[in-house]
Amino acid sequence: MNIHTSYGIVTEPGAVRIERLLPGPIERIWSYLTDSDNRRQWLAAGPMELKLGGHVENVFRNSDLTRNDDPPPAHMAAFAEHRVPGEVIACEPPHLLAYSWGGAPGESSEVRFELATRNGKVLLTVTHRRLAEDGALLNVAAGWHTHLDILAARLEGSEPDGFWRTHTRLVAEYGRRIDGSQTAAKGG
């Protein structure tokens, strides 16, 4: 199985986990999570105070992440630049980073990055919890999948696929996968 195309899984209601096996070393991957200039290449720029209670702000400009892309879907056009504040709730360099997503801990969702060395590579596990609704879960799962594929491409020195083209396709795919798994879990 090619882990670069592995889909995220729903681990509990309102939570998705996705993994990627990336070229190391682990300190390199850590810098792509924490350094604004590196993070801007695959996710979002912005300040990050690497201490408990430290301020985080991700400034998303998804249309600038890749070349030869489709325009954003109409319902996403308002997010040409989107800011997501947060607060660091765990920081153990270079193995663990967690912060609130969209506000203070307890009032927002939470994203957790775990890094582990695996045979000369780095396993990055991203878990996003406390998502409010199915629509958010689908967009977040597709978003992390798309962003992590861009990260993998950047680290490997290749040109990533278009962000919006990929994200739009993955929202539909996650809709089938998540709806199907929830139906099967209910006995349907």
Side-chain angles (χ1 to χ4, degrees), residues 37-109:
D37 289 337
N38 285 341
R39 205 170 61 249
R40 137 186 8 234
Q41 296 178 46
W42 70 279
L43 181 67
M48 181 180 292
E49 298 174 320
L50 292 175
K51 62 181 183 178
L52 291 181
H55 173 73
V56 175
E57 183 176 42
N58 282 306
V59 182
F60 288 87
R61 293 183 182 102
N62 291 331
S63 294
D64 296 341
L65 288 175
T66 56
R67 295 186 277 185
N68 301 319
D69 196 8
D70 295 341
H75 70 283
M76 299 297 278
F79 296 102
E81 179 177 297
H82 181 63
R83 295 173 180 265
V84 179
E87 181 178 308
V88 174
I89 53 180
C91 185
E92 298 171 17
H95 298 283
L96 172 65
L97 176 64
Y99 50 87
S100 61
W101 188 271
E107 300 173 5
S108 61
S109 63

